[in-house]
Amino acid sequence: MRKLEWALIGIITLLVVSAVAIIVVGPQVGQPPPQPEEPLEPGETETMSGRIVEVLEEGVVELGEGATQPYQRLVVRIESGSMVGQRVVIEEGTTNVIGKDRLFDVGDRVFVERAVGPEEDRLYISDVMRFGPLLTVVAVFVGLVVLVGRWKGLRSLGGSLISLGVIFGFILPQIIAGKNPVGVSILGSIVLLSVSTYLTYGVNFKAHAAVAGMVVALALTGGMAWLFVNWTRLSGMGVEESAFLVMEFGPEIDLRGLVLGGIIIGSLGVLDDVCVGQSSSVFELVKANPELTWVDLFRSSLNIGTDHIAAMVNTLLLAYVGGAMPLMLAFTIYKEPLLRRLNREPIAEEVVRTLVGSAGLVMAVPITGFIASLLARWAVQKEAAEAPGTEGPVTDAE
């Protein structure tokens, strides 16, 4: 136990030191690779890193019809690319639409785009460098998980890394290669859920029940997603990224399949929580009272799952609405009937995504509870049969 505590202290200390190092030198991480020495042709662009060294002017500019927005004139020192070492003046808010949160301060590190023109180049700030803060957030999160969850927390982090590996190493490449998005998403989801669950909770009956419940619920969710996406005739063109994908991969890309795959993958996190929670509750019940029949266990699991469903459905709804908040706000200001707004594809897609995902969670509760109840009773009978002094297997009263 003492070794475990020292190991945790060492890991947390390493994370804290890493966080401090990231804050100090983090902005240097992730700079664009060196640009080619050949001069760029008109129409080509170059990404350079830079730092704000002076704010020459700032104020408010009129946009027309009483609308205004802030603007700034900034001096930026270029730190990479073909213009390294030079200081350039860049205007923000006069040729692009910005908000007050876009304003910069001296010392901010930014990405500067150089668009080569036939007569002169155009320079503009494309984004802020966020590598340091992002890595710091990751370090803080990992530290808290290890501090509170200890070895189980470490295993859960390993499962999360495996999940990301499956998504970016299998699901997305297979879809890009032209494979069916639905089949790839379901297969990849089963793999990542199984691996992460067994890695976190070990190879035992509780994990078996949770994985079995996830697989069945996932298959049913995929079937419902396919049914309602086709029934509502969602094309997958409800978001602006779809046009980019069509331009990149051609009209053969299955945008509707991407919508289906997104629904399946989007429900994984909460589905994992529901199935593991149901399985854990059943095995805790049978541990407290080994005399409970599988019917009693199943009934109790449904009672527990009812509260879980109420919380999880609301959680999923808020997660989807929160992720689509700008879209929801944009459609709210449209002067048209409510039903017409709901009929628009971006809104209809979110409705189908939310309700199908929530339906999958509802189905996961009785499915996992049923499987866990049978496995829990079987585990009790097996332990009783293998116990010393037991002549034969114990039969369930039901």
Side-chain angles (χ1 to χ4, degrees):
M1 190 64 181
R2 196 68 179 172
K3 291 181 179 179
L4 173 61
E5 293 176 356
W6 279 111
L8 289 172
I9 292 173
I11 293 173
I12 294 170
T13 302
L14 179 61
L15 289 172
V16 172
V17 173
S18 301
V20 173
I22 289 168
I23 294 173
V24 175
V25 302
Q28 305 295 332
V29 179
Q31 288 188 355
Q35 300 293 331
E37 297 182 359
E38 304 84 31
L40 299 177
E41 298 293 332
E44 296 182 332
T45 60
E46 175 188 9
T47 301
M48 305 176 292
S49 63
R51 185 189 296 272
I52 308 295
V53 295
E54 186 179 355
V55 179
L56 295 176
E57 183 183 357
E58 61 182 9
V60 177
V61 63
E62 298 285 340
L63 296 179
E65 298 182 359
T68 62
Q69 74 171 13
Y71 80 94
Q72 289 181 309
R73 292 183 68 242
L74 307 166
V75 178
V76 182
R77 184 176 68 242
I78 304 300
E79 298 181 339
S80 71
S82 60
M83 300 178 63
V84 61
Q86 298 185 33
R87 295 192 175 200
V88 297
V89 177
I90 298 179
E91 294 187 357
E92 273 284 294
T94 55
T95 59
N96 59 327
V97 178
I98 66 172
K100 62 179 181 179
D101 294 329
R102 171 81 174 188
L103 298 178
F104 297 100
D105 297 317
V106 174
D108 289 345
R109 295 179 59 83
V110 296
F111 284 114
V112 176
E113 300 293 329
R114 171 186 166 228
V116 180
E119 297 181 359
E120 62 179 11
D121 297 345
R122 174 172 172 258
L123 299 175
Y124 60 95
I125 297 175
S126 60
D127 212 342
V128 181
M129 283 192 179
R130 303 182 178 91
F131 304 115
L134 288 176
L135 292 176
T136 303
V137 170
V138 172
V140 171
F141 168 73
V142 171
L144 288 173
V145 171
V146 172
L147 178 64
V148 178
R150 307 213 171 201
W151 290 119
K152 184 172 286 188
L154 280 175
R155 292 199 301 269
S156 68
L157 289 174
S160 298
L161 291 176
I162 292 174
S163 298
L164 291 175
V166 171
I167 292 174
F168 288 97
F170 172 73
I171 295 178
L172 295 181
Q174 291 295 315
I175 292 176
I176 292 175
K179 300 297 177 60
N180 182 272
V182 181
V184 170
S185 298
I186 292 178
L187 180 59
S189 299
I190 292 174
V191 171
L192 69 88
L193 281 177
S194 301
V195 173
S196 62
T197 300
Y198 285 122
L199 182 62
T200 304
Y201 302 101
V203 180
N204 50 51
F205 288 114
K206 179 175 72 174
H208 295 335
V211 169
M214 290 177 202
V215 171
V216 176
L218 195 62
L220 292 175
T221 302
M224 289 185 61
W226 178 85
L227 174 64
F228 285 102
V229 166
N230 284 278
W231 196 6
T232 54
R233 301 183 66 179
L234 296 177
S235 64
M237 293 295 295
V239 292
E240 59 182 354
E241 291 85 357
S242 301
F244 169 78
L245 292 175
V246 171
M247 288 176 17
E248 186 71 21
F249 298 105
E252 295 80 14
I253 185 169
D254 187 1
L255 294 177
R256 181 173 289 181
L258 290 179
V259 174
L260 289 167
I263 293 174
I264 294 168
I265 295 176
S267 63
L268 291 184
V270 187
L271 185 64
D272 185 8
D273 185 22
V274 168
C275 292
V276 170
Q278 284 297 103
S279 181
S280 296
S281 63
V282 169
F283 279 87
E284 287 300 318
L285 286 170
V286 79
K287 184 187 298 184
N289 185 1
E291 302 301 322
L292 290 174
T293 65
W294 75 266
V295 174
D296 296 328
L297 292 172
F298 181 56
R299 187 182 296 116
S300 297
S301 72
L302 290 180
N303 293 334
I304 297 172
T306 301
D307 295 332
H308 211 177
I309 287 174
M312 284 298 120
V313 168
N314 191 44
T315 299
L316 193 62
L317 174 64
L318 294 177
Y320 282 133
V321 172
M325 187 68 75
L327 175 65
M328 300 297 179
L329 184 60
F331 277 101
T332 300
I333 63 177
Y334 281 178
K335 303 299 182 182
E336 61 182 6
L338 176 60
L339 292 179
R340 178 68 183 95
R341 289 183 221 165
L342 293 176
N343 189 73
R344 291 186 177 275
E345 180 157 346
I347 298 294
E349 183 176 318
E350 293 300 327
V351 171
V352 172
R353 188 190 307 274
T354 302
L355 297 184
V356 169
S358 300
L361 297 181
V362 174
M363 292 185 296
V365 168
I367 291 171
T368 308
F370 176 73
I371 296 173
S373 299
L374 294 179
L375 280 179
R377 279 308 311 164
W378 184 75
V380 169
Q381 293 174 354
K382 182 179 179 182
E383 290 179 3
E386 295 175 353
T390 303
E391 297 181 356
V394 178
T395 59
D396 195 342
E398 294 292 328

